[in-house]
Amino acid sequence: MSVDLLLDLQVEVRRLFIAGSSLAEGDIRLSKLLPSLQKAGEAAPVFKRLADTTEGLIQAPRAESALKLLELATLLSAVMHTQGKTDVAGETQPVSSAGLSLPTEVTFRRLHPLLEALTTKGSGRLEQIRQAYEDRSFLDLRALPALCSALDDVYSEIPEFIQLKILPEFGQAAVPLLQSQLNLQGGKGDARRLQLLHLLQGESALELVQEAGASGAPELKIAAIELLSGYEGQEGFLLEQSREKRKEVREAAYYALARLASIPCQDRLFEAVASKDAELVIYPIRKCSALTLHKRIIAHAEEQLDRYSASEGKAREAALQQLHTNLRCLNSHAHELAEIAFPMLGRLMATDEFMTADAGVVQDTAAELLLALESEPSDRFAIGLHSAYKGKFIGYSFRAAFRQLSPAELFDRYADAIKGRSASAKLLQQAIQQIVHEQLAGSDERAEAVPEEAWDRRWVKALAGQDLTDLVCAFAHQNDRDVTSYLVSKLKDGSRVNDYRTQNVLLTLFRVGFKEAPELFMGLLENKTSRSFYYIDWRMKQLFASMPKAYAPRLRAFAEALAYESVKNELLEIVEALEAMPDDQAGESGKGVWQWIKNKMY
């Protein structure tokens, strides 16, 4: 009751400080509180003094009211500070010291963006979290709870990054919080917590993982199955889970069985190949290192081929589908199984009954597997499919021949087949494009042409004859009149300089040393229909850098007329580097100059 009275008096004192002490004389509100203060003063001297001071303020003339108000406020403040309580009701409990060994040296201003990214929604949060990871500001006690909670974030990339990169660096300090937040009946976030606890605690967390595998929600059961595959004595549990009613749990169990690869595990995987779970088990079998399992599947494929040839209707269709499943299982270990798999594949590809329209997908799978064997006998067999079945397998034949034949032999055997618009010609063109793509993508630097020694020089004219411009660009190595004439013909009046094909042709002309290439490029740049640049890629930059120094004024004039400031600045930077190029290199073009300019710019 006394505290309430003091609070009421404090409210009135604050009111008079705001309104002005001159209004205190005869104040009605203070007058109403005075009797209660006087009554409380009968029991406590301090309240009697408050009552007297309050009465003195009420009766004080205006000239003295300010001093009396200040005196009352000071006394009231002193009394109020004696009325607080520092004890807490109830029994004392130990305080968890989770993470208290972590530092808190990062300023809150620096930590705040990370905390905000972890506790709010919206775009740009992952970038903020990555920034905190890079500058190491995340290693702070205040960030740990938010990081553990963010494992439930709906934007999957955030919890994935936190799980893989951030929380492991906290070590054991993160364990108590992860344990307190873990819900075995939860979802993906709790599965991540279980995986982190196992990562941080190792075998000490095995009992928890077993509990999650036995009675956890599907997400935790899947995570537990994956973790338990690394321990001995879990085979029985994993075999049991491979028959669980949930599809995703069975799939996780198959991966775990493939990792264990014991005889019972292989038996279960082989059983699943011919069951309703055939699609689920293909990729786990590919990961299984036990070649005995793959050999059984090869034998099973032989049986299905016999069954396919001897049956009709639905039985024939079922055999074909099973054969397809078997072949798909063998992809990852094809080279190791070459000696055993080749006779089966050779027989399959030589079986006329198998070359039907309904078996088209299976035929392609078998041909791909034949190439994946990477053995000379299988390649020679594939080469022999060159003209078989109306050229249906000519693409596979060409890819095998590329590995086994010399460049001249390859050209002599396949050059005529590329002509025309037949289905086999298109398949051959696609095979060449695939090899070229692999060669260009596999280069340490951004390659512009295929290795000259890998192909016969005659290919470039043969490809030009079929109007395969991109391939001509990839095969051109010399300033051949016929080839350059073909490429120049592709630069028509309506060509746009920011078009990929146009740039590819120009880069090729520069690379082979075609003298008119700079003027052709400059003419396209100065064409009014080619002045809209929203961005520039590496091709345009290299074209600018390939120009002789004498073109620098015209290039500058073009760049300065561009509307987009960012594009203009990028091109002007190259022009400035070109202007600074030494005179002894000024007449050159191509890679040498491009490399010099890149070094100058960066």
Side-chain angles (χ1 to χ4, degrees), residues 171-188:
Q172 292 301 310
V175 169
L177 269 172
L178 291 170
Q179 288 176 330
S180 66
Q181 292 182 1
L182 179 64
N183 176 13
L184 293 183
Q185 301 305 316
K188 291 183 179 180

Side-chain angles (χ1 to χ4, degrees), residues 258-298:
R259 182 177 177 184
L260 287 178
S262 65
I263 297 300
C265 293
Q266 293 180 46
D267 291 341
R268 178 68 186 106
L269 291 170
F270 183 75
E271 176 190 348
V273 170
S275 72
K276 64 178 183 180
D277 280 351
E279 282 296 322
L280 296 182
V281 81
I282 289 173
Y283 290 99
I285 288 178
R286 286 184 181 182
K287 289 183 174 293
C288 183
S289 60
L291 294 183
T292 51
L293 172 61
H294 297 275
K295 291 176 182 178
R296 291 175 67 181
I297 292 175
I298 292 173

Side-chain angles (χ1 to χ4, degrees), residues 9 13 50 53-54 57 68-77:
L9 181 58
V13 169
L50 276 172
T53 306
T54 301
L57 175 61
K68 291 293 185 179
L69 179 60
L70 183 60
E71 182 182 352
L72 176 59
T74 304
L75 178 60
L76 177 61
S77 177

Side-chain angles (χ1 to χ4, degrees), residues 188-199:
K188 291 183 179 180
D190 292 292
R192 294 182 186 278
R193 291 184 182 92
L194 182 67
Q195 291 167 334
L196 280 165
L197 285 169
H198 179 265
L199 174 68

Side-chain angles (χ1 to χ4, degrees), residues 39-351:
K39 185 176 181 180
E42 295 175 1
V46 69
F47 277 89
K48 184 177 185 308
R49 186 176 174 187
L50 276 172
D52 293 342
T53 306
T54 301
E55 185 178 11
L57 175 61
I58 294 171
Q59 296 175 355
R62 292 189 176 188
E64 299 177 8
S65 62
L67 183 60
K68 291 293 185 179
L69 179 60
L70 183 60
E71 182 182 352
L72 176 59
T74 304
L75 178 60
L76 177 61
S77 177
V79 174
M80 289 288 288
H81 278 82
T82 67
Q83 299 303 302
K85 294 182 179 180
T86 58
D87 59 325
V88 178
E91 297 181 3
T92 58
Q93 298 290 337
V95 177
S96 174
S97 61
L100 292 182
S101 61
L102 293 171
T104 55
E105 300 172 355
V106 178
T107 63
F108 189 75
R109 180 188 296 273
R110 186 178 171 198
L111 189 64
H112 177 69
L114 172 63
L115 296 177
E116 187 174 26
L118 293 170
T119 56
T120 61
K121 305 297 180 185
S123 60
R125 296 185 297 133
L126 180 59
E127 289 71 19
Q128 191 62 61
I129 295 170
R130 283 176 172 162
Q131 180 60 43
Y133 176 74
E134 291 174 4
D135 62 24
R136 315 299 293 168
S137 62
F138 71 93
L139 283 170
D140 191 284
L141 173 63
R142 295 163 291 176
L144 182 56
L147 285 165
C148 291
S149 297
L151 291 171
D152 294 312
D153 198 284
V154 294
Y155 182 43
S156 61
E157 290 189 40
I158 287 179
E160 182 178 349
F161 185 80
I162 291 172
Q163 178 189 3
L164 298 179
K165 295 290 186 179
I166 294 183
L167 284 177
E169 297 210 28
F170 282 91
Q172 292 301 310
V175 169
L177 269 172
L178 291 170
Q179 288 176 330
S180 66
Q181 292 182 1
L182 179 64
N183 176 13
L184 293 183
Q185 301 305 316
K188 291 183 179 180
D190 292 292
R192 294 182 186 278
R193 291 184 182 92
L194 182 67
Q195 291 167 334
L196 280 165
L197 285 169
H198 179 265
L199 174 68
L200 296 173
Q201 293 183 295
E203 196 168 345
S204 301
L206 180 57
E207 185 176 344
L208 177 63
V209 175
Q210 289 174 322
E211 182 182 355
S215 59
E219 293 285 355
L220 283 96
K221 188 182 286 284
I222 291 169
I225 288 172
E226 179 184 353
L227 296 173
L228 290 173
S229 66
Y231 291 95
E232 295 182 0
Q234 300 300 321
E235 182 183 271
F237 171 75
L238 296 176
L239 287 169
E240 178 184 340
Q241 294 305 307
S242 72
R243 301 184 188 278
E244 221 266 4
K245 64 179 181 180
R246 295 183 181 87
K247 173 183 174 181
E248 60 272 20
V249 175
R250 297 200 306 275
E251 185 176 17
Y254 289 138
Y255 276 105
L257 294 174
R259 182 177 177 184
L260 287 178
S262 65
I263 297 300
C265 293
Q266 293 180 46
D267 291 341
R268 178 68 186 106
L269 291 170
F270 183 75
E271 176 190 348
V273 170
S275 72
K276 64 178 183 180
D277 280 351
E279 282 296 322
L280 296 182
V281 81
I282 289 173
Y283 290 99
I285 288 178
R286 286 184 181 182
K287 289 183 174 293
C288 183
S289 60
L291 294 183
T292 51
L293 172 61
H294 297 275
K295 291 176 182 178
R296 291 175 67 181
I297 292 175
I298 292 173
H300 193 245
E302 291 266 18
E303 296 173 6
Q304 298 310 306
L305 182 57
D306 290 337
R307 180 184 166 200
Y308 175 83
S309 300
S311 59
E312 296 179 354
K314 291 185 178 180
R316 185 183 179 95
E317 184 179 337
L320 182 64
Q321 185 175 352
Q322 185 61 59
L323 178 59
H324 191 210
T325 299
N326 292 341
L327 295 177
R328 291 167 65 196
C329 289
L330 302 173
N331 187 273
S332 297
H333 295 276
H335 181 63
E336 299 167 88
L337 298 164
E339 187 174 344
I340 301 171
F342 173 56
M344 181 268 293
L345 290 171
R347 178 190 164 204
L348 188 153
M349 298 299 289
T351 301

Side-chain angles (χ1 to χ4, degrees), residues 583-601:
D583 291 337
D584 59 347
Q585 293 183 338
E588 300 179 12
S589 64
K591 277 190 175 180
V593 176
W594 172 232
Q595 190 62 46
W596 186 89
I597 289 181
K598 282 200 298 183
N599 293 337
K600 179 72 175 175
M601 291 169 59

